[in-house]
Amino acid sequence: MLKLSCNNLTDHLHTFFSDLPSFSPVNRRIVSCSHLRKTAPDPLRALDQRTLTLPDSVTPADRLRHGRLMEDGFSYKEQFIVRSYEVGINKTATVETIANLLQEVGCNHAQNVGFSTDGFATTLTMRKLHLIWVTARMHIEIYKYPAWSDVIEIETWCQSEGRIGTRRDWILRDCATGEVIGRATSKWVMMNQDTRRLQRVTDEVRDEYLVFCPREPRLAFPEENNSSLKKIPKLEDPARYSMLGLKPRRADLDMNQHVNNVTYIGWVLESIPQEIIDTHELKVITLDYRRECQQDDIVDSLTTSEIPNEMVSKRTGTNGSATTSKQEHNESQFLHILRLSENGQEINRGRTQWRKKSSR
């Protein structure tokens, strides 16, 4: 590893950018959300005089990526422009786009602090023992979807989650306003890459990554009894809506040789009724990952409406039967299950919450 002082780092970055004639002066800066709202000072002034550790070989991606480790050394922020191919029928970023960006910034954070550059974010001990991280739960809340050409900033950090895994949290902000437009949290467990069996996190592995985690618990969802903590019940037959016979494409496989966790989001949404897609937008999605899905598997997506307890308003009718309020019939919350067509084994279960589309 090459150790550079902040002064040497400044010289190194200015030398690099001066060798790129295609770069405009604006692009030569590592911008932040505050820079888009008002004129900002040279961002390199924000660095203190601590000694920074950089990889021996700095790649063009490292130089051009608009991401940085924060001064506390624990959280990482990166800015993204929403591209035209990342928006959907609402002319805003799709939830799959959001999930992909969360995955991207998490991987970049792991690489930035020195974990493996193979996409697995593994420590030295994990690589020796053929261990990798796999997603156990993902919870995303989106308060406002960014539109095409919007610039968003995503902050992420990780921390320990008991003896069996870790958690990673995210906060999404609109760079033009600084407004928080989304939050997310996830749980990850350790799996042996050869046996595909889960394994407890050893003290040696824990010591390797805890140095990059906040000393005190920091949660994207600090509210008591928030929706990210809610258990997802199993959806029982018969499901009201279904999309059967979904097949993984080759492009759906990730570096772990199984279907990427973002693909499951798309499969879940395939069985949402069209009238909900037409009139609502996704507000919250929670997924529990229970089984790997391989390229040759065929998957069924099942969905049924769920009425949250706080929305149920029962009253007694004239005939003594229980009736429900109009709000209960909005069908703004659903339970989901993805399962193998062949034997019904559960791959994934989920819950989604939807809100009425606002006029733009």
Side-chain angles (χ1 to χ4, degrees), residues 176-357:
T177 64
E179 176 187 6
V180 173
I181 60 173
R183 296 183 292 173
T185 186
S186 61
K187 294 183 180 180
W188 300 72
V189 293
M190 189 175 291
M191 184 178 77
N192 186 291
Q193 195 171 8
D194 300 324
T195 66
R196 317 306 285 186
R197 293 181 178 275
L198 299 183
Q199 186 163 327
R200 282 185 175 273
V201 180
T202 65
D203 290 337
E204 187 175 6
V205 170
R206 193 183 308 277
D207 290 343
E208 288 176 323
Y209 74 78
L210 279 183
V211 296
F212 302 107
C213 299
R215 298 295 180 260
E216 299 294 331
R218 182 187 174 194
L219 306 176
F221 299 94
E223 303 91 342
E224 187 176 357
N225 298 322
N226 65 82
S227 59
S228 73
L229 303 174
K230 292 182 178 179
K231 183 178 179 180
I232 303 175
K234 184 177 180 180
L235 186 157
E236 301 293 346
D237 288 330
R240 185 171 181 182
Y241 311 100
S242 64
M243 179 64 70
L244 308 180
L246 297 170
K247 298 180 180 180
R249 302 171 304 159
R250 292 171 181 168
D252 293 329
L253 301 182
D254 62 17
M255 291 178 283
N256 290 335
Q257 299 300 313
H258 61 201
V259 173
N260 186 274
N261 59 62
V262 178
T263 300
Y264 296 120
I265 296 177
W267 285 347
V268 162
L269 299 183
E270 281 298 309
S271 56
I272 287 288
Q274 187 62 44
E275 57 266 27
I276 294 296
I277 299 295
D278 292 340
T279 60
H280 291 66
E281 64 181 6
L282 183 64
K283 175 184 176 182
V284 180
I285 183 168
T286 309
L287 296 178
D288 285 340
Y289 297 88
R290 296 176 172 270
R291 179 183 303 274
E292 289 185 283
C293 183
Q294 308 296 337
Q295 183 178 357
D296 296 331
D297 291 331
I298 300 177
V299 177
D300 293 339
S301 175
L302 308 177
T303 291
T304 195
S305 57
E306 180 188 37
I307 307 301
N309 291 333
E310 61 269 20
M311 289 179 60
V312 176
S313 174
K314 292 187 176 182
R315 62 182 183 270
T316 303
T318 56
N319 62 352
S321 63
T323 60
T324 55
S325 68
K326 182 178 180 181
Q327 185 182 19
E328 186 177 353
H329 293 287
N330 285 339
E331 294 191 343
S332 60
Q333 188 160 301
F334 296 88
L335 292 177
H336 309 271
I337 186 171
L338 298 178
R339 66 187 186 190
L340 296 177
S341 298
E342 181 181 14
N343 53 27
Q345 289 184 337
E346 186 178 6
I347 300 171
N348 181 295
R349 67 174 64 174
R351 175 185 283 118
T352 58
Q353 298 176 38
W354 301 72
R355 59 173 170 252
K356 287 278 189 179
K357 289 182 181 178

Side-chain angles (χ1 to χ4, degrees), residues 74-129:
F74 301 135
S75 67
Y76 174 87
K77 291 183 179 181
E78 188 167 348
Q79 296 84 40
F80 300 92
I81 300 174
V82 178
R83 310 294 184 179
S84 61
Y85 53 82
E86 295 175 323
V87 303
I89 59 175
N90 296 328
K91 300 180 182 179
T92 56
T94 64
V95 66
E96 291 97 330
T97 292
I98 299 296
N100 276 318
L101 292 178
L102 298 181
Q103 187 168 267
E104 173 71 8
V105 74
C107 289
N108 292 342
H109 175 211
Q111 292 188 21
N112 192 275
V113 299
F115 289 165
S116 68
T117 58
D118 58 6
F120 295 152
T122 51
T123 68
L124 180 61
T125 300
M126 290 178 66
R127 292 194 292 277
K128 288 180 179 178
L129 300 177

